[in-house]
Amino acid sequence: MPTTTAPRDVADKKRLARRLAGDGRGFAECFGFRVTNNPAQLFQVLYLAVLLARRGDFHRSVDAATALRDAGWDTAARMARSRHEDRVRVLRAAGLRGDLPAIADTLGDLARTIVETYRGDLRRLRTAAHQDAGEERRLLTALPRVDDEVCDLFLREAQALWREAAPVADRRALAAARRLGLGRTARDLAGLTGSGESEQLSWLVGALARVDLERRYAEVTA
């Protein structure tokens, strides 16, 4: 593994953090998924997280999520009404690999549960949790096929809106943070973006995740 040059002091770390987060977009928004506090966008970010948690080329997961949205399944209610065989067809056409019937089942189960439990609106999950970060995580991981990794990927984006959820960083972002000398925990990264700046933290961790996924360490440290 090639070495990297770690920032020497806190000021250097903050400068690098500002540079990484400088485009003002999180991971999802860089790939066309807006992060706004409405039911459709939150559901899309959640199923993007489900697909990104799979092993393999992350571009295929992004393409599959985009294809599902473009097929008209942009809300939990619409996904819940879609046919299993149609979801399989769209996933296959998008180039996704693996057990596509199982993935299609997962998406259908997830959508139906959100409709039945929260009337298709993940903001109701937040309300049910009384905006408590631990309870939000518990309710999210109670959804079908949403484990801790999927939860981290969703909250990595949603913390820009659900400020109580911060700080959150997924394993890819933390891997990049360690290698770049920015810290080892989400709290370390939050310290570089400023107290209460959950939106900037979301941008930073999204940028770090992209650095690790795209192996752009040399570019970042040049």
Side-chain angles (χ1 to χ4, degrees), residues 13-192:
K13 292 179 182 181
K14 288 185 175 181
R15 278 192 290 270
L16 178 54
R18 284 194 299 270
R19 181 155 62 89
L20 286 165
D23 65 2
R25 296 182 298 169
F27 185 99
E29 291 197 334
C30 283
F31 293 99
F33 287 85
R34 295 182 60 209
V35 181
T36 61
N37 202 29
N38 71 60
Q41 301 295 344
L42 290 172
F43 177 64
Q44 291 167 36
V45 171
L46 182 59
Y47 70 67
L48 174 64
V50 169
L51 293 169
L52 286 170
R54 301 174 63 254
R55 298 301 182 264
D57 182 358
F58 81 96
H59 288 105
R60 292 181 184 273
S61 295
V62 171
D63 289 346
T66 301
L68 292 167
R69 181 191 61 197
D70 292 348
W73 307 323
D74 54 349
T75 68
R78 288 173 179 158
M79 182 77 81
R81 291 195 299 268
S82 67
R83 298 190 307 170
H84 176 267
E85 57 268 31
D86 288 336
R87 295 194 299 274
V88 172
R89 173 180 51 79
V90 168
L91 293 171
R92 180 175 293 114
L96 197 67
R97 295 175 178 172
D99 188 346
L100 299 187
I103 298 168
D105 277 339
T106 290
L107 294 168
D109 290 346
L110 179 62
R112 284 188 291 273
T113 299
I114 292 172
V115 169
E116 292 165 2
T117 308
Y118 302 109
R119 286 187 273 174
D121 187 348
L122 287 169
R123 296 176 303 180
R124 295 181 183 277
L125 180 150
R126 187 188 186 199
T127 298
H130 304 288
Q131 296 189 25
D132 175 81
E135 186 65 5
E136 286 168 358
R137 183 173 287 272
R138 187 188 72 79
L139 292 177
L140 283 166
T141 54
L143 295 171
R145 312 300 190 273
V146 177
D147 57 14
D148 286 333
E149 183 173 8
V150 173
C151 191
D152 283 343
L153 292 169
F154 173 75
L155 291 176
R156 175 184 72 190
E157 312 296 325
Q159 68 185 329
L161 309 166
W162 299 5
R163 296 181 181 276
E164 69 280 358
V168 179
D170 63 291
R171 65 181 181 86
R172 291 283 190 178
L174 290 176
R178 288 192 296 270
R179 190 164 166 189
L180 294 171
L182 293 178
R184 304 186 65 82
T185 68
R187 195 164 298 280
D188 290 338
L189 296 174
L192 300 177

